[in-house]
Amino acid sequence: MPDHLPRRQVLRTAGALGLGAAAAGALTSTADATSSPGTRTGSATGTPDRLTGMRGHHGKLEITKAEFGTTPDGQRVDVYTFTNGRVTISMLTWGATIQRVETPDRRGRTTNISLGFDNLPDYANLSPYFGATIGRYGNRIAKGRFTLDGTTYQIPVNNGENALHGGTLGFDKKVWKAKVVQSDKAVGVAFTYVSPDGEMGFPGELTSTVTYTLDTRDNLRIDYHATVAGKPTIVNLTNHVYFNLLGEGNGTIYDHVLELNAPKYTPVDATLIPTGEIAPVAGTPFDFSRPTAIGKRLRGDHQQLIFGRGYDHNFVLGGEPDEDGLRLAGRFWEPEHGRTIEVLTDQPGVQFYSGNFLDGTFLGIGNKAYRQGDAFAFETQHFPDSPNHANFPSTVLRPGETYKSTTIYSFGTK
């Protein structure tokens, strides 16, 4: 393993894109939960409850809660909407999902820049992980198999011959418990899910809490925390929000400019499983060390672009972390309206995905079809298929250890 790669933050304590058949069942009721006046179409099941309000940098830090829908087995799904008076985030208890991200452009015009749906059945039946918290294992595991301490485990395959994002019923298809968190500088929600031993073939009972907070300076912070009981397991948690800085459904992201802090990447085979090589980006279409339009080299004849139908690759982050253990992963800028996103993380890698498999077969929040290249995902993570590559950073979590990770999406304009 290259010496610049930070190892997993495991602290010793006191002791893209198939859905499985089980996820395709229609949900029995649907509701669009109104988060704030004028921000959404459709009808709500009730008036949102204002949970808190505080004075912030741009305005009041506020959060509301409303019913979004009900699963076939009777579980209520809520939408929490929190704002600092400038940026507004809406999140569902279904999959601990980011449903909306509303930010202003350089002229102060606010729009939703994340892809999603306004109803629960579409999330269950159609969604390619829009905004979802991913687990137990983000990204792909070859043939769904890995060996840990001499025992081989099988995860249901759902992406060709491979397992993707935790198998057919990953964390993105679970209803999480939610708790409001707040301070004088930030507001958000802590989501918790307990995955039993053997769920989707993974060993050990894993308790995960993922806390999303928006602060007064337009930073959306994601703090991941997990412990396992009974048996060791593998963990690779991330979020799969899709962004289009023009506004969701408003065209492609090919003119978005990306600067990526990654001197290397992990090439893949035809099934998008890493070969095990950690290759330099220099001289390839994967070199974003200088700000470059995403679409500039996207249609080149490089074999890796052909395999992925564009960018769908893990990048190995470079540079030294700051005093908080974070380092820059990448910057995005949309020149027409000026919106920017800067991403900081303590993870060793990031999956950059250019929306290659969006095919226009469903409509999103704005009643617009999402087509190829209409959004990007930027998933901070450990590497894909790490359990099957000894030279990749370990994703093993053992009883008595704590998995901790932080990623920050910082929104702005220029």
Side-chain angles (χ1 to χ4, degrees), residues 178-199:
K179 179 181 179 181
V180 170
V181 293
Q182 59 188 55
S183 70
D184 59 348
K185 295 182 179 180
V187 63
V189 183
F191 297 93
T192 299
Y193 176 70
V194 179
S195 175
D197 177 26
E199 185 174 57

Side-chain angles (χ1 to χ4, degrees), residues 263-313:
K264 297 180 181 180
Y265 77 113
T266 53
V268 296
D269 64 19
T271 71
L272 301 182
I273 291 293
T275 63
E277 179 186 8
I278 297 177
V281 300
T284 76
F286 297 85
D287 187 354
F288 288 91
S289 57
R290 295 185 177 183
T292 304
I294 291 171
K296 182 176 181 179
R297 299 167 298 196
L298 188 67
R299 303 303 177 200
D301 62 357
H302 194 283
Q303 183 62 67
Q304 288 294 305
L305 293 176
I306 294 171
F307 282 158
R309 301 187 191 179
Y311 297 106
D312 192 6
H313 295 76

Side-chain angles (χ1 to χ4, degrees), residues 209-222:
T209 297
V210 186
T211 303
Y212 292 80
T213 50
L214 176 68
D215 70 15
T216 57
R217 298 187 180 277
D218 302 341
N219 299 309
L220 177 63
R221 180 184 177 111
I222 309 174

Side-chain angles (χ1 to χ4, degrees), residues 6-52:
R7 291 191 176 273
R8 178 187 203 74
Q9 294 194 35
V10 176
L11 306 179
R12 183 66 60 181
T13 65
L17 297 171
L19 291 175
L27 301 180
T28 55
S29 68
T30 304
D32 178 34
T34 304
S35 60
S36 59
T39 62
R40 200 169 295 172
T41 59
S43 59
T45 57
T47 303
D49 302 315
R50 178 166 296 177
L51 302 180
T52 185

Side-chain angles (χ1 to χ4, degrees), residues 19 23-33 67-79 91-97 99 116-127 172-175 365:
L19 291 175
L27 301 180
T28 55
S29 68
T30 304
D32 178 34
E67 184 173 351
F68 189 77
T70 306
T71 67
D73 61 357
Q75 295 183 82
R76 169 173 163 156
V77 173
D78 290 322
V79 55
M91 295 198 65
L92 309 176
T93 53
W94 173 268
T97 293
Q99 188 213 17
F117 299 106
D118 62 3
N119 65 86
L120 196 50
D122 281 354
Y123 275 105
N125 301 338
L126 304 175
S127 179
D172 59 297
K173 301 173 187 69
K174 305 295 182 179
V175 178
I365 289 177

Side-chain angles (χ1 to χ4, degrees), residues 113 243-245 330-334 339-343 376 408-412:
I113 62 170
F243 288 115
N244 184 323
L245 301 184
R331 296 187 180 97
F332 294 85
W333 172 50
E334 193 286 300
R339 292 186 182 90
T340 63
I341 298 177
E342 182 173 281
V343 184
F376 68 87
I408 297 173
Y409 290 92
S410 183
F411 303 103

Side-chain angles (χ1 to χ4, degrees), residues 378-391:
F378 202 66
E379 307 151 64
T380 57
Q381 60 174 17
H382 270 56
F383 301 173
D385 201 34
S386 284
N388 295 313
H389 297 277
N391 62 319

